[in-house]
Amino acid sequence: MRFDETYSGKVFIKSHPNYEESKAVLYGMPMDWTVSYRPGSRFGPNKIREVSIGLEEYSPYLDRELGDVKFFDAGDIPLPFGNPEKSLAEIETYVHTLLADEKIPMGMGGEHLVSLPVMKAVASKYDDLAIIHFDAHTDLRENYEGEEYSHSTPIRKIADHIGPKNVYSFGIRSGMKEEFEWAKENGMHISKFEVLEPLKKVLPTLEGRNVYVTIDMDVLDPAHAPGTGTVDAGGITSRELLASIHAIAASGVNVVGFDLVELAPVYDHSDQTANTASKLMREMILGWVK
Amino acid sequence: MRFDETYSGKVFIKSHPNYEESKAVLYGMPMDWTVSYRPGSRFGPNKIREVSIGLEEYSPYLDRELGDVKFFDAGDIPLPFGNPEKSLAEIETYVHTLLADEKIPMGMGGEHLVSLPVMKAVASKYDDLAIIHFDAHTDLRENYEGEEYSHSTPIRKIADHIGPKNVYSFGIRSGMKEEFEWAKENGMHISKFEVLEPLKKVLPTLEGRNVYVTIDMDVLDPAHAPGTGTVDAGGITSRELLASIHAIAASGVNVVGFDLVELAPVYDHSDQTANTASKLMREMILGWVK
Amino acid sequence: MRFDETYSGKVFIKSHPNYEESKAVLYGMPMDWTVSYRPGSRFGPNKIREVSIGLEEYSPYLDRELGDVKFFDAGDIPLPFGNPEKSLAEIETYVHTLLADEKIPMGMGGEHLVSLPVMKAVASKYDDLAIIHFDAHTDLRENYEGEEYSHSTPIRKIADHIGPKNVYSFGIRSGMKEEFEWAKENGMHISKFEVLEPLKKVLPTLEGRNVYVTIDMDVLDPAHAPGTGTVDAGGITSRELLASIHAIAASGVNVVGFDLVELAPVYDHSDQTANTASKLMREMILGWVK
Amino acid sequence: MRFDETYSGKVFIKSHPNYEESKAVLYGMPMDWTVSYRPGSRFGPNKIREVSIGLEEYSPYLDRELGDVKFFDAGDIPLPFGNPEKSLAEIETYVHTLLADEKIPMGMGGEHLVSLPVMKAVASKYDDLAIIHFDAHTDLRENYEGEEYSHSTPIRKIADHIGPKNVYSFGIRSGMKEEFEWAKENGMHISKFEVLEPLKKVLPTLEGRNVYVTIDMDVLDPAHAPGTGTVDAGGITSRELLASIHAIAASGVNVVGFDLVELAPVYDHSDQTANTASKLMREMILGWVK
Amino acid sequence: MRFDETYSGKVFIKSHPNYEESKAVLYGMPMDWTVSYRPGSRFGPNKIREVSIGLEEYSPYLDRELGDVKFFDAGDIPLPFGNPEKSLAEIETYVHTLLADEKIPMGMGGEHLVSLPVMKAVASKYDDLAIIHFDAHTDLRENYEGEEYSHSTPIRKIADHIGPKNVYSFGIRSGMKEEFEWAKENGMHISKFEVLEPLKKVLPTLEGRNVYVTIDMDVLDPAHAPGTGTVDAGGITSRELLASIHAIAASGVNVVGFDLVELAPVYDHSDQTANTASKLMREMILGWVK
Amino acid sequence: MRFDETYSGKVFIKSHPNYEESKAVLYGMPMDWTVSYRPGSRFGPNKIREVSIGLEEYSPYLDRELGDVKFFDAGDIPLPFGNPEKSLAEIETYVHTLLADEKIPMGMGGEHLVSLPVMKAVASKYDDLAIIHFDAHTDLRENYEGEEYSHSTPIRKIADHIGPKNVYSFGIRSGMKEEFEWAKENGMHISKFEVLEPLKKVLPTLEGRNVYVTIDMDVLDPAHAPGTGTVDAGGITSRELLASIHAIAASGVNVVGFDLVELAPVYDHSDQTANTASKLMREMILGWVK
């Protein structure tokens, strides 16, 4: 695998031209073939890059500039259309290489299932890993209509892998009764409906821990993120999500990787959701890559 | 009138196949011909059914599943295009039948005028009836440019019918000066701009009363419900509307019927408003049909 | 497998309520997981049904009414999301059952790959089978980036199966050089750019043959079918495609099955392409099911 | 009725400021309440005016400028929402006044039913009146689901009024079998599918006759007019419709009034159909008002 | 310059027909040629007028009706396309005339740069002038890629002109580090992220002062104003902006002019942002023109 | 000026990585600030590049592959927003450099005015230069509302520069009377409405001449190119435009440069027009760069 080859597509603003010198690596995982409802998130990563040109590189929230962080935009991982197993395997291999090179993985989805191989790779490096998960949906099914690897199962799979007690979900407002019950019985943290307040209570308990953060855009209310696969009313505002990112940045946790998934540009209007995703990515880079 | 005939269109998820065994009946009132501004709400009911397939049947708010409530989706009432008087008469007849069969009527509009014949039918059964009304608009005109039956008059007509003191409006932020004055002079309750807080104060005073609830989607802010006939800035969030539904569910009032009107799919984007309407309907069914 | 069970979704106008009495069966194949570009055709079949309500049941082209043909709308075949191999196998099994019951299969895609198992099933019944194929694209690749079952390979696979000389493609205006060369070398018929004129020359040579017809919506010019996965300028008008359907109806070929694929509603505007697809389906039913 | 009052809305480019001095009067009929499918044509007239600002006032087809024709844009006729009978009566009265003032009526719809009272008023002035009708639909029903005044009945009503032999329909590609049969049995002219060629054959037979022309935008193919209530594939191009307008202009018929109906802006994209409607109106004014 | 000439376009509802008798004048500044990102705000003023027809003329917030305020809608100032310097000069001249006639200028943009000549003209009349500025962006650049007059510079230019201490910005969440530093060093007020709370603290300090208010629509969150040139997540709600307008109305400042800029209809959906802009304008007229 | 520097944006498929080795250079001219109607073509060049990924690199029309032509995609020329004069000067300088390096300039607009400096630069190299111009509009004004450099003037300016007899316009269907008269009086060729047939007559007369071709997307009918600044009904199909490109390729003229302008993505739907523009560009490269 080579990361330094000439990339002919667009890149996130202010990404560093050199892989070796970079501390973090941004990459797209353009897969959407297991979703049951509205596909289209395969185009999410490139759209985030495209609209990043409209961002200021300075964050008045964090008083820091993108130029202060060396990150490399490696483009999208080439994935075989319609083959989830092979796709997941390739993502996992890819992230292992990043971790071997001491890079912080920063992923862009794609459907939420792409987070699973990333989290597994990261968990193999950090054995105290905790997962912070922002989402409207539990994603805790064991399988979806018989298929084990589905957009509905990634959090369950990783919880099975690293232990449910190490997984913290926030903003959940949709799921099957059985999923909520499983979480409760197995000691997994689920904050229903709310994000910022419970997060502020959880963060001190994670102080010093290595943490992977996975954000599904649909944790936002449809008013704030219409451009996603499955919208669900009653979500949080982009202000609250920004404040949550800043709360993690100000806490004592050590973010060792993160992703932002489920931006589906075809359902977006005038790039509203894409612009928000792009700003969220800037804040995560500036707040979490230290 | 027959309700058990084979219906060839789509139905709301988990609707019961049998009318007789059902406690509540869901029906569409696809009429939009008296609106002065943007027509299109005639397609609202079928759109709510269509997107309901994306809903979980379980509500984490109420800890109850759709399978726990027997309700029958009877499809849309066939209405004569462009003939409001005949349309209203047919709706009224239809609801009288439902009530005679001891069913709880659950309507989907259509323009707000469709609520009038339903409320009249319900009022003929329950003589202590109170109306809870969520809306951006007063809908209190005596007539609209000479036409007595218009989208601007239904609340006035029902207030005249059951007495203004039995009507409680919430979230109102638009109307003529005369309408607000008429309400004040006649002892009708209007909460301007606000919904949840005043509702919580009103509900205890209605304890034990039979109540009909009518929700105009435009009580929501345009950010939360762009897909409606007349948007008006400064409205409430979908979170607040969900909380209001749950407040009614938790109160001591007896909901004997309800409707959700003014979803206009053609002005909606990626079904944002439709998905919200569908979720609101699930919460009303789970919270109010006991 | 049961076809007579209660179907809770919408159906194509004037579909017959009874499977046994029907001569032809309409079914959806809602699969789009191997496409490399824009997914979304999974929603095609239901959209065709939905807008069919706006169709007249009479064709002034053919002077025949839908009521004159007994066809059963069996809904969509349930397919496992993101699993192409299993999906194709289920489609093939499904069509074998239809054929065993002496029904004419009428499919709605979905991506073009769904036609492959149907054509294979039909070919196992009719050993003189010829394929008439309308498309902008050759679809003649051996594999697509290593994946053998892809939206780019179905015509190649069926040509390998029944012999390239039995496949007739019309309207082709996009493909790799190697694909055109393979067709030429193997005696497969390709009419570049044109449809109606070459079709009129080919039809007499197929007189008396059993024929399966597969129509990819993108054979139409983007002006006539914007709502498809891969638009390509320079295509034919909907008038020419209608005339082609009528030419087949008037010829001496025996249509033993057909499909219409690649309607992708999310890229459509005001249902323009969907309405056209729905009308095309009516004409095929009226013209080809005798 | 006063026509010279200050009008506060927009007007068609180069409309004359003075009613008395004008030879022709342009007016909107913003009614869409009897349509069975997609409402919204009420906004057609104002949209045509709005986009007219993008038109050149010179026609290179006719070598004539709008400044050469004195026409007055009188704005929209105020119509009672949801009351078809009263609306039709008001339109008829309005046009009688125009005719009494020796003005040529030039109407903009609105649904097609608005043409009926205009044609009746014009027929009362010209007893040799012939109707030239461009449309995808027959509009020849006696009633529509029991309602006599419907968007499906105007051509039948006027045919009953002035005699079917005086009505000439072109481009028809949709209707009930009974409608086509009625036309045939009663000697009414229907050119199925085609417009320009049959029109050129009919025009010489109408030489010297007073003629009213009514154009339903849906005679155009959906590729050329997506922004209409009921699209139907297989229509003509805007080039052919322009040529048809010019053919009438070059013929010996005497156009005594005309209208353009069924532009529905909400289904239009980037004002494509509206711009076309606006150009068609310019050509009709320049070609037919002599 | 004449203001009383016949205007052939649409006007804001209830605008007074007579310039001389009016206390305030509404005018459009349809310029968008220096924006670096998404142009289109040139169509903002006419869109605000168009949708104003859907407004009630009564404000339940202020208990006042548009009929109570005499304001004249003068249409758009004709500006030379693509020539910013000349455009700015013409706007400045125009506003000087309004001020000489003792009219309150009420402007509609257009890009934010159009506010600069207006503020300069107003500053020449009121030497104690303070600016209240609602915006997502600092707009404090000295130049933008070498161009001094750009959408990124107007607040800097007016701050240089009247002194940074007289400029109060609210809701700012985007800008270069240097801009924030410049503001701090020069004593200019910037409330980052927040609007209503800091405004309530600032207003008492401005009591008795003459104040010009300029509102960039993008101070609103993208959920509330998708239809603008540069959306930026984390903004305020329309409720908060309405409350801010009312806070100014209730304060002791003397509003001597104001504008609303950056509505870009082509990025708007179903006129959501336009309707909000129109309502904001009504509230400003009713609250600030005394 | 350096052309070999690392370009961080996307490029047209199969563009060569090396400037020196390339025979032709593709560049964007993202200027739209003098248009009077709908801006947005500044985003045209990047959109053409973005959708080019969906193109096959082989043309079945020309039996040639993009890999057979060495062309370099140099990205967009940086232009000062809102400053037309400086923008035009920078384009002219840029193209002079290309020509000095013996490259064939291949431009992408932007508004049509960007073609003027290119044509002037090319004319300075080839003194027998002829212009072939495809457009709906004459673009022959001397000035537009006083501004000499406007989207309405480029063809007039180049005609004044190289002599009107050397300019050949095709497909023109809109303009002022004076423009058509000026062309006639000065011996400039204008084919009204038609393209392919008159082009086939003109081409033999240009045999051996050096020719620059400029294509305004709006020569296409709005059905084929809705995504442009000024749509005008009655245009040609994309088939005819493709055939015209191929006719030039097959003729004896020597194409020394060309451009494609006025793609405005914001008015486009599902990238219909962009995909067409991208395919047209492929055919021009394959057909004209020999």
Side-chain angles (χ1 to χ4, degrees), chain C residues 38 141 193 232-233 267 269, chain F residues 56 60 223 239 269-270 279:
Chain C
R38 307 194 302 192
R141 298 200 189 189
F193 320 130
D232 191 84
Y267 302 105
H269 313 298
Chain F
E56 293 285 349
R239 291 194 103 171
H269 313 297
S270 300
K279 179 171 180 174

Side-chain angles (χ1 to χ4, degrees), chain E residues 11 13 26 41 44 102 165-166 183 217 232:
Chain E
V11 293
I13 49 157
L26 186 69
S41 60
E102 300 293 336
K165 290 189 176 62
N166 297 312
M217 285 297 287
D232 191 84

Side-chain angles (χ1 to χ4, degrees), chain D residues 106 113 220 250:
Chain D
M106 311 189 298
L113 186 55
L220 290 170

